[in-house]
Amino acid sequence: AFRLIKAAIELSPRNGTYREFLEEVGNSIGAALVEAGRVEEAAAFYNKALEVMPRSHRLRSQLGAVYMTMNQPEKAREQFEKAVEYNPADYLALYNLAHIEYTDGKRDSAVEKYRRIVNELAPDYAPAWNALGSIAAREQRLAEAEKYFTRAVEIQPDFSDAHANLGRLLLHHRDETRRKESFRHLEKALELDPDLAENQAFMRDLAEAEKLR
């Protein structure tokens, strides 16, 4: 498939719209391979596609995501950094780069990137709000964390992780009325993600929240 993409680009190298279309085709092929569980083939495909479209931030961002799936964070970091270099507005690449940095202990740099996403690039990108909430909760900045988690579920009502985080936070709120609201969010998280039933800590929190109703 990448040979066809290369041949098509060579036929019309200056046609930006055409290149964008081919870039989208490349992304679709790679995504289909990932969905089929053929992640190594997907990585190989994206690498080949990048030989003919080396400045494609979307292909690099997708390749970075594949490397994360393969538990190769350094290779992922390289691709996300290049994606952001080629397109500073690529908030998905920036989000994933921030995740890697936070995992590596680069807290300030990660927070700066998350804040740039919510304040500038993609204010309605719920995962970035949720990430900021998780960091604030770990640092015991609970009022701030509540604000971030609440914003995440407002933007994306089917975001199970944000509901779970908000529910767990409210479970220990000083205000009794707010504590009672924890069950609604924890129950919603379980409805959206039934696999949470296998998480013993989550289920203990849900049982505790139900007693407060």
Side-chain angles (χ1 to χ4, degrees):
F2 74 88
R3 290 195 195 96
L4 295 176
I5 293 173
K6 180 180 180 181
I9 288 175
E10 288 172 347
L11 286 172
S12 186
R14 293 187 177 85
N15 190 325
T17 302
Y18 193 39
R19 289 179 71 91
E20 286 181 11
F21 169 73
L22 293 171
E23 191 177 35
E24 189 61 39
V25 170
N27 265 332
S28 298
I29 293 171
L33 289 169
V34 171
E35 189 173 350
R38 296 157 62 183
V39 291
E40 291 185 0
E41 289 181 58
F45 173 80
Y46 281 127
N47 274 301
K48 285 291 186 182
L50 283 166
E51 289 178 8
V52 295
M53 289 185 284
R55 297 185 65 84
S56 169
H57 71 94
R58 286 189 291 178
L59 290 176
R60 290 197 178 277
S61 186
Q62 291 287 7
L63 177 57
V66 171
Y67 280 139
M68 289 183 73
T69 300
M70 297 170 69
N71 196 28
Q72 297 184 28
E74 288 309 312
K75 286 187 176 182
R77 181 204 303 273
E78 179 184 358
Q79 296 305 322
F80 293 137
E81 286 177 342
K82 287 182 178 178
V84 173
E85 177 187 345
Y86 296 144
N87 180 11
D90 187 339
Y91 66 91
L92 293 176
L94 194 65
Y95 171 83
N96 284 315
L97 185 56
H99 173 76
I100 292 173
E101 287 186 342
Y102 188 76
T103 301
D104 284 349
K106 299 177 181 177
R107 181 262 184 205
D108 291 348
S109 181
V111 168
E112 181 182 355
K113 289 175 173 60
Y114 288 135
R115 285 180 175 161
R116 183 170 178 235
I117 292 169
V118 301
N119 292 328
E120 180 185 344
L121 299 179
D124 289 337
Y125 188 57
W129 288 102
N130 186 59
L132 286 170
S134 296
I135 293 171
R138 291 189 193 102
E139 297 174 355
Q140 294 299 303
R141 293 181 285 112
L142 303 184
E144 213 174 316
E146 182 182 348
K147 179 184 74 172
Y148 291 140
F149 291 142
T150 299
R151 184 60 183 140
V153 298
E154 286 174 349
I155 295 169
Q156 189 177 331
D158 63 349
F159 193 177
S160 63
D161 193 33
H163 277 289
N165 287 333
L166 180 56
R168 284 173 153 169
L169 187 73
L170 293 177
L171 184 58
H172 305 288
H173 202 284
R174 288 177 296 179
D175 184 271
E176 183 180 356
T177 302
R178 300 293 284 144
R179 286 199 302 273
K180 289 181 178 180
E181 291 179 22
S182 64
F183 179 77
R184 175 169 61 90
H185 290 288
L186 293 172
E187 184 180 43
K188 185 65 174 179
L190 182 60
E191 175 190 329
L192 292 166
D193 182 8
D195 288 344
L196 284 171
E198 304 299 320
N199 185 320
Q200 293 183 359
F202 174 86
M203 295 306 292
R204 281 196 300 270
D205 286 343
L206 180 62
E208 185 178 346
E210 189 170 18
K211 294 175 185 176
L212 298 173
R213 293 175 69 192

